[in-house]
Amino acid sequence: MDKLYIDGPAKLNGSVRVSRAKNAYLPIIAGVLLNPRKTTLINLPELRDIITINKLLSNLGVEIKTEGHKTIYDTSKFEGHEATYDLVKTMRASILVLGPLLARFKKAKVSLPGGCAIGARPIDIHLENLKKMGAKIELESGYVYATTEGLKGAKCVLPFPSVGATENLMMAAVGAEGTTIIENAALEPEIEDLGNFLIKMGAQIEGLNSSTITIKGRPLSELNEIEHEAIGDRIEALTYMMAALITDSEIEITGFVPSHLDAVIETLKKMNAQLEVTSDGIKVLHSKLEGITVETAPYPGFPTDGQAQLMALCTKVLGTSVITEKIFENRFMHVPELIRLGAKIELKGNTAIITGVEKLEQAPIMCTDLRASAALILAALASEGKTEIQRVYHLDRGYEKIDNKLRSLGVSISRINE
Ligand code: UD1
């Protein structure tokens, strides 16, 4: 298992380009299953989650070829319809193949994802609404068995704007007969990107970027061969922004749409961060930060995927900060690890009260989930001494070449395989 060692306190300088967004490419790769013609995806990030979903597609019989920065998918021979537990358990987003498989093959067998470190994460919203679209669903021996005589358009009113459910239903609706209306749809930029990818393929979708999305189904045989490149990774971008701020460094982060981080920019500006928005990124300047009170919320609110990183930053901001996690019930696993580095954090239910300290000091620490791992990297950058970070495979699920990128910004970081 790989470990990372970071020498702190670090000073960063230069510029870093973020990768294409993992959370945009995961649903898009599931969406490839809809298209009987070839689909080419550009600049897939080299990440464990992308390898996992590609393996899932290969197991279904999809041919995948890589040519330079292009990945070409050929679904003409695919006929499997099963996503097994061994893959789904490593990545919950595997559930996103359910909608496309039903639309293409009228049947799917997908392992129930189960809970994960950050919470129970049920899939009831996905299943209830697929039923409304004419799917018969049974749960047996840890699997979802879904069949349909043909999906039909339906009105799906989501009780919560779930990102994954919105994506699954959009993809199912592309191959359904008639019109599907998704109300209270999630608004995350990755959903707009999935919509644009499906529209390129020939899907008829209206209302992207709003909470009511309307999809007119059509025969999948009419879809086109297409190429698509996903949007830049806003969560990776915010992580590097906070890396600069926690080390009081000046860096530029490029390769993403700055408005996708409006809530984060607003929060950091309230903390007195000096930020300059450019056409495809953000410059972070030296800043003397103040504490903040913030709650996570569905987009366009402050993203839960940036909560752990913001908390790491607040550990070094003099004054008190209060962070409330509203999306996942158990997303504070980074807290005990940050405390090991000297942070002062008190937990009250889903609220963390952070009192900034002058100094963090190295200690061996352990990653527990993807974004918690990013928070530990940030704290290690600001800690005195050499911090050992264990179980970095969590980090490798979502941050492409993070050690190389940090090294190029001037950080002394090494990876050891033990
Ligand atoms: C996606 C992101 C993840 C991010 C999350 C919230 C991907 C691959 N993952 O996850 O990084 O943290 O959005 O922005 O894009 N819920 C239900 N029933 C359902 C579905 C969800 O109760 O059927 C609950 C979940 O337990 C959770 C909340 O809704 O508490 C948000 O989940 P959801 O928006 O679905 O997140 P994911 O799509 O799993």
Side-chain angles (χ1 to χ4, degrees):
M1 253 193 267
D2 286 4
K3 286 180 184 171
L4 286 177
Y5 291 88
I6 293 182
D7 285 318
K11 271 282 174 217
L12 281 56
N13 58 68
S15 170
V16 62
R17 192 169 176 79
V18 298
S19 303
R20 304 295 88 199
K22 159 184 99 73
N23 282 358
Y25 263 138
L26 291 175
I28 285 172
I29 295 174
V32 164
L33 293 172
L34 292 166
N35 195 351
R37 304 209 160 67
K38 282 189 183 156
T39 308
T40 301
L41 300 180
I42 299 172
N43 286 328
L44 284 188
E46 286 175 33
L47 294 172
R48 275 169 56 102
D49 276 8
I50 299 290
I51 294 169
T52 303
I53 194 143
N54 276 342
K55 202 160 164 200
L56 203 161
L57 261 65
S58 300
N59 287 355
L60 293 167
V62 177
E63 277 180 16
I64 308 176
K65 260 196 326 202
T66 308
E67 286 175 10
H69 61 287
K70 295 186 172 185
T71 308
I72 303 146
Y73 296 82
D74 181 349
T75 68
S76 56
K77 295 198 196 95
F78 115 79
E79 51 187 23
H81 64 278
E82 185 173 337
T84 53
Y85 178 60
D86 56 330
L87 287 177
V88 179
K89 75 174 181 212
T90 63
M91 190 186 64
R92 290 182 44 85
S94 311
I95 194 67
L96 294 172
V97 299
L98 185 58
L101 281 176
L102 267 177
R104 179 97 184 255
F105 277 132
K106 302 193 170 137
K107 63 177 178 180
K109 178 183 171 191
V110 179
S111 170
L112 274 168
C116 69
I118 64 174
R121 298 182 85 174
I123 52 163
D124 53 318
I125 305 174
H126 303 234
L127 301 185
E128 286 313 310
N129 286 287
L130 286 171
K131 279 188 200 162
K132 277 196 195 142
M133 294 175 72
K136 279 201 196 115
I137 293 183
E138 279 172 23
L139 305 182
E140 208 187 297
S141 311
Y143 276 84
V144 179
Y145 288 82
T147 53
T148 179
E149 283 165 16
L151 293 174
K152 300 254 183 315
K155 184 167 168 176
C156 303
V157 184
L158 310 193
F160 175 87
S162 154
V163 174
T166 305
E167 293 166 341
N168 232 336
L169 296 171
M170 278 168 74
M171 293 189 280
V174 170
E177 195 189 316
T179 301
T180 300
I181 300 172
I182 308 173
E183 285 186 7
N184 199 23
L187 291 165
E188 271 69 2
E190 292 76 18
I191 292 190
E192 188 186 6
D193 201 22
L194 172 67
N196 287 332
F197 163 79
L198 296 170
I199 289 170
K200 252 190 221 170
M201 238 182 218
Q204 292 163 285
I205 304 179
E206 276 172 24
L208 285 180
N209 233 337
S210 82
S211 50
T212 303
I213 302 178
T214 306
I215 302 122
K216 224 162 129 188
R218 68 186 299 183
L220 297 179
S221 57
E222 292 175 11
L223 298 184
N224 314 310
E225 182 169 334
I226 58 153
E227 278 198 4
H228 186 77
E229 178 165 14
I231 53 172
D233 194 324
R234 64 193 168 103
I235 306 299
E236 188 188 5
L238 75 82
T239 304
Y240 286 108
M241 284 165 71
M242 295 192 196
L245 289 167
I246 199 171
T247 54
D248 191 18
S249 303
E250 293 199 347
I251 66 168
E252 182 171 11
I253 303 130
T254 62
F256 69 103
V257 180
S259 62
H260 291 166
L261 286 181
D262 276 351
V264 173
I265 292 171
E266 194 190 322
T267 301
L268 293 173
K269 282 194 168 164
K270 273 194 204 149
M271 295 173 76
N272 208 22
Q274 306 300 306
L275 307 173
E276 246 178 59
V277 175
T278 62
S279 58
D280 79 332
I282 283 176
K283 277 186 191 155
V284 181
L285 308 174
H286 289 299
S287 312
K288 185 110 188 79
L289 299 180
E290 291 165 8
I292 186 78
T293 295
V294 75
E295 280 187 6
T296 61
Y299 193 86
F302 192 94
T304 174
D305 284 353
Q307 177 259 108
Q309 299 90 317
L310 179 68
M311 194 178 308
L313 176 60
C314 290
T315 64
K316 283 277 291 169
V317 172
L318 292 184
T320 303
S321 297
V322 181
I323 301 179
T324 303
E325 172 56 52
K326 293 283 221 184
I327 308 291
F328 292 106
E329 66 267 29
N330 189 25
R331 206 170 200 181
F332 281 148
M333 272 101 48
H334 42 286
V335 170
E337 299 300 304
L338 291 173
I339 290 173
R340 286 172 55 75
L341 296 172
K344 280 200 183 141
I345 307 172
E346 191 191 337
L347 284 183
K348 285 193 179 153
N350 61 347
T351 296
I353 300 144
I354 306 117
T355 310
V357 292
E358 290 275 359
K359 232 164 80 165
L360 296 174
E361 277 185 84
Q362 70 76 29
I365 46 177
M366 193 174 76
C367 300
T368 49
D369 71 76
L370 173 56
R371 305 303 170 188
S373 317
L376 300 190
I377 296 281
L378 300 187
L381 290 172
S383 296
E384 318 258 333
K386 192 189 265 300
T387 303
E388 174 186 301
I389 303 159
Q390 301 175 9
R391 299 201 183 167
V392 291
Y393 58 85
H394 288 288
L395 200 64
D396 295 335
R397 286 187 46 208
Y399 287 89
E400 188 176 36
K401 301 191 173 91
I402 189 165
D403 23 350
N404 293 357
K405 287 187 184 181
L406 285 173
R407 203 171 294 118
S408 77
L409 291 170
V411 176
S412 164
I413 177 168
S414 51
R415 182 182 283 255
I416 310 277
N417 185 280
E418 280 174 4

